[in-house]
Amino acid sequence: MHGRQVVPQVLVIALAAGGLFALCGLALTRLLLPAELRRYECLWVLPVGACVAALALTALGFAAVPFKVSLAAVVVAGAVSSLYAVRRAGWPERPARLSTLGWPVWIAVLAACIALVPLFRAGYLTVVGHGSDAH
């Protein structure tokens, strides 16, 4: 099937995005997450990082900063802030039971797979959707 051709590319993109989101989200999550949510801290890092990266890249884009420069600036800022957060507050604690993370991780993987179905059906990397809203 032609949908299998894009799997390696999707995995590379997922790893790159996950790394960017982890760098951008670790500092804010580590320093600002309320104490009662600390046991699920590892579940907050990637979504917070996705929001931070999106806002930072959008702001730099509106400021007419070239994308490569913007991306480098966001990666460096994320790395520096993450290093600061780890030195100040330490690494996030592992949950007492890893099984508590099963359902949230399963739902995230399922949502990602459903979102990627049109891409696999097309058989090549593309923006999914029609019109300007897709972009």
Side-chain angles (χ1 to χ4, degrees), residues 76-95:
V76 168
V80 169
S81 63
S82 293
L83 182 64
Y84 171 76
V86 168
R87 284 185 175 233
R88 183 169 178 231
W91 286 100
E93 294 179 26
R94 281 184 47 188

Side-chain angles (χ1 to χ4, degrees), residues 8-24:
Q9 297 165 324
V10 168
L11 290 175
V12 167
I13 293 168
L15 286 174
L20 176 65
F21 298 162
L23 270 179
C24 292

Side-chain angles (χ1 to χ4, degrees), residues 18 21-23 25-31 33-50 90-102 104-105 108:
F21 298 162
L23 270 179
L26 180 63
L28 281 179
T29 304
R30 191 71 189 122
L31 297 175
L33 193 67
E36 56 270 5
L37 296 176
R38 288 265 179 232
R39 66 183 180 157
Y40 299 112
E41 188 172 11
C42 59
L43 293 174
W44 285 91
V45 173
L46 293 182
V48 168
W91 286 100
E93 294 179 26
R94 281 184 47 188
R97 290 181 22 213
L98 288 178
S99 62
T100 60
L101 304 179
V105 170

Side-chain angles (χ1 to χ4, degrees), residues 63-126:
V65 177
F67 177 70
K68 289 181 180 180
V69 176
S70 297
L71 184 60
V74 169
V75 168
V76 168
V80 169
S81 63
S82 293
L83 182 64
Y84 171 76
V86 168
R87 284 185 175 233
R88 183 169 178 231
W91 286 100
E93 294 179 26
R94 281 184 47 188
R97 290 181 22 213
L98 288 178
S99 62
T100 60
L101 304 179
W103 280 109
V105 170
W106 169 247
I107 291 170
V109 168
L110 185 62
C113 289
I114 290 171
L116 290 172
V117 165
L119 187 96
F120 293 133
R121 287 185 68 195
Y124 56 92
L125 294 180
T126 183

